[in-house]
Amino acid sequence: MTDLLSRQPVDTADGGAALRDWLADARRAHPVRWDETTGRCHVFGHEEAQQALQDPQTFSSEFKGVVDEPIEDGPNFMDSHLGVTDPPRHGRLRRLISQAFTPKSVRDLQPRIAEITDELLDRATADGGTEIDLVESLCKPLPAPVVAELLGVPAEDRDRFSGWADAMALANDGAATGDPSVMVLDEHMTDPVRQMQDYILGHVRDRQANPGADLISRLVAAEVDGQRLDDAELFQIPMVLLLAGHISTTMQLGNVLLVLDEHPAARAAALADPELLAASIDEAMRLRPAVPSTFRIVKKPTTLGSVDVPAGAMAVIWMLSANYDERRFPEPATFDPGRSANPHLTFAHGPHFCLGAQLARLEISTALQILFERHPGLRLVPPTTFTTSPLVAGPTRLVAETGAGRG
């Protein structure tokens, strides 16, 4: 498969400005562009991206036979989970998962998210220093134990979850689809994932005999039209939650911190008003989505934005570009939490709208409130380092001066 990054800039020095500039030029020239060299359809405009994302019959998420097949005896990620299915199977899976992954089950995690955040910040400031790397101290270690808590994993096993998350993040680094929930393994990464599979299915067997109140128990019990999740699906859901949380939420929390650091007055106002904080986080996520693009396979000839697209082509849907579309967002480069509407595509759109969006928002808002309560004078200290590509975008080093605070 053609290198995803060919003919597209990759920047690790300026926080993604080069990629945003490239997308702006492309979008203003053509909201949709057919690239003869790569045989791909690039979707830059907001309206056009929404159209593609909400039409799975034409723009399919089923990558089986398109990306490399799993290695022999390795877990098959092209068959078994929500991110790589189309309707009608996708609808069945989503209904089953939604029975277990309820808004209440997510809200109930807030006290534990707060405890984990406090524990991480205590550890980061234990030496009495005034500088901490927020990526290593907070953004990166927060999501895995939250997912473990949601699943009902015993506390003594949660370090193993973080290790599996690290291993799967490495495996996903070159994933052919560009989606953190879609993973293609090589022979070096199957052991950690197989270990996690055995571990999760062990808990599935336990919950089948001894159900509890955790997510695994609810997944085991979920039923639609007499159908329940099979073993492959019961493993895939925790795996995707862990992987997407580890990559996307880590990067998204760092990106929100970057935006709020650039607007200290707005940050102070938001922290005093929960509704304004939610709007500020949403606006920051519009400006700096953790996943700049997603990919679809064109199942039948179609026309999008006056561009004829043949069947079999790969469509690259640029959520980052859509979030800056001047036709949808007045003054799109301006941080404006007061926008009357903010239909950004950071969590995608349509049938594949991110099921974990509420959890990500809760983790980010809770972590920010505690961080700035403890360190109200916190400011970032350059240099910040980034990874910026069509696959993932966010800070890899985010050092902050804590200033006055309770440590």
Side-chain angles (χ1 to χ4, degrees), residues 88-97 99 221-229:
R89 184 166 183 259
H90 177 272
R92 169 189 165 259
L93 282 173
R94 194 168 183 108
R95 288 194 299 275
L96 283 165
I97 296 167
Q99 288 184 30
E223 182 176 325
V224 171
D225 298 330
Q227 291 184 303
R228 294 191 175 188
L229 295 165

Side-chain angles (χ1 to χ4, degrees), residues 227-248:
Q227 291 184 303
R228 294 191 175 188
L229 295 165
D230 61 28
D231 277 1
E233 293 160 346
L234 286 167
F235 165 62
Q236 289 287 349
I237 295 160
M239 184 278 297
V240 171
L241 283 172
L242 181 61
L243 182 63
H246 194 63
I247 297 176
S248 301

